[in-house]
Amino acid sequence: MNPNAEHRRDDPWPAELPRRSVLLGGGVLLGSAALGVAAALGPSGEHEVANASNATDATDATGMAQAARPDKPRTSRKSRKPGAGAPLIHSTADWGARTPYRRATVLSRAPEYIVVHHTCTPNVSDYSLQQGYRLARSIQGAHMGQGWGDTGQHFTVSRGGHIMEGRKGSLSAARRGRMVIGTHVAGANGYTVGIECEGTYNSVLPPRRLLDSLTELIAWLCRQYDLDPMNAIVPHMKFNDTDCCGYEFAPTLPRLRKRVAAALRSA
């Protein structure tokens, strides 16, 4: 996402980065990427949708949100305590979120993918929690300022490694193995959860603090949703023609998948 939250394509795919070299989720990436988000959430509270095929976000100003895929048979989850092993995640109340414009749509099932984004904002050296909160408020303000319902992504990780809930209701839904429909990938919002990484990673990699927290967060989400990290963790550019999560960062996601898998084995 750029500062005004528009879906965009800034640069052509770099000649030095062969597209076929970026293999994610068992598929070949066919685009360059930048985060595109347009939120669609509701005031307060959540609306459960048992039949995912009927879940839409027709009120979104951009029309980006899409109906979820029909529910697929899933293997039964291992017995677990809801929310067990979660990293510290600062809720929307913690960082002072505004009341969303529209009511959240919550699907009574898990997503298929966890999508990694970068915010296309400066690579700041302020690693404080206060900076993380400022970032979260800025993102929400940009989205709602354009008439969108709320923050588009579900979670945000600052360069200091602080994890914030993005779209209201995302944290409570994940604790129950469910998902809020966000607006962070055109055409795939009904079966993906989005994580924003603060910064721009076309020529540099995220700092270790961010990567460590991102690993913890995704490992927890994989446990909650019974997802295989080797297939589930993908960049925004898997779905849309953008530069997101960065020309430098995206090719390293296989390494991130292995780190998450290792975290799951050691849990």
Side-chain angles (χ1 to χ4, degrees):
M1 168 187 55
N2 56 355
N4 67 359
E6 292 178 344
H7 183 84
R8 61 178 176 75
R9 177 178 178 174
D10 273 349
D11 307 305
W13 188 274
E16 66 274 15
L17 179 61
R19 296 186 185 194
R20 295 189 64 85
S21 71
V22 188
L23 302 175
L24 298 190
V28 179
L29 302 184
L30 300 178
S32 54
L35 167 65
V37 276
L41 181 64
S44 53
E46 300 172 340
H47 175 59
E48 297 288 349
V49 178
N51 183 354
S53 62
N54 293 329
T56 61
D57 196 9
T59 59
D60 191 278
T62 65
M64 285 176 58
Q66 174 173 302
R69 290 181 178 179
D71 286 345
K72 292 184 177 180
R74 295 179 60 85
T75 56
S76 59
R77 290 189 190 135
K78 297 177 182 179
S79 176
R80 57 165 171 74
K81 181 179 179 181
L88 176 60
I89 301 174
H90 302 276
S91 70
T92 54
D94 291 336
W95 55 262
R98 295 161 56 185
T99 300
Y101 289 153
R102 292 182 289 276
R103 193 177 185 185
T105 297
V106 183
L107 304 182
S108 57
R109 62 158 178 77
E112 295 179 37
Y113 296 103
I114 297 171
V115 182
V116 180
H117 300 271
H118 67 175
T119 60
C120 293
T121 53
N123 293 329
V124 300
S125 57
D126 185 348
Y127 286 0
S128 68
L129 178 59
Q130 290 70 30
Q131 165 60 21
Y133 285 1
R134 285 193 294 269
L135 173 70
R137 289 192 294 267
S138 176
I139 291 172
Q140 187 191 42
H143 294 182
M144 295 181 69
Q146 297 192 28
W148 301 338
D150 191 15
T151 302
Q153 75 275 6
H154 300 79
F155 299 97
T156 305
V157 184
S158 75
R159 282 175 57 82
H162 304 289
I163 305 171
M164 280 77 61
E165 179 184 26
R167 174 158 291 202
K168 183 177 175 64
S170 298
L171 181 54
S172 63
R175 284 171 173 161
R176 294 176 290 150
R178 302 178 179 184
M179 65 164 285
V180 167
I181 293 184
T183 318
H184 59 107
V185 281
N189 291 298
Y191 53 94
T192 59
V193 161
I195 302 175
E196 276 285 357
C197 298
E198 180 185 18
T200 303
Y201 300 111
N202 287 324
S203 59
V204 297
L205 289 174
R208 175 53 67 105
R209 296 185 189 190
L210 189 157
L211 290 173
D212 287 348
S213 293
L214 181 63
T215 300
E216 287 186 72
L217 173 60
I218 295 179
W220 177 68
L221 290 172
C222 284
R223 284 195 295 270
Q224 294 304 108
Y225 292 136
D226 194 23
L227 294 175
D228 178 357
M230 304 307 288
N231 297 320
I233 303 169
V234 297
H236 183 194
M237 59 176 69
K238 176 180 175 67
F239 298 100
N240 302 140
D241 187 21
T242 64
D243 72 345
C244 181
C245 58
Y247 301 135
E248 188 77 14
F249 187 20
T252 70
L253 290 198
R255 193 183 314 160
L256 175 64
R257 293 193 200 102
K258 291 178 181 178
R259 291 185 65 189
V260 171
L264 289 172
R265 287 193 299 269
S266 63

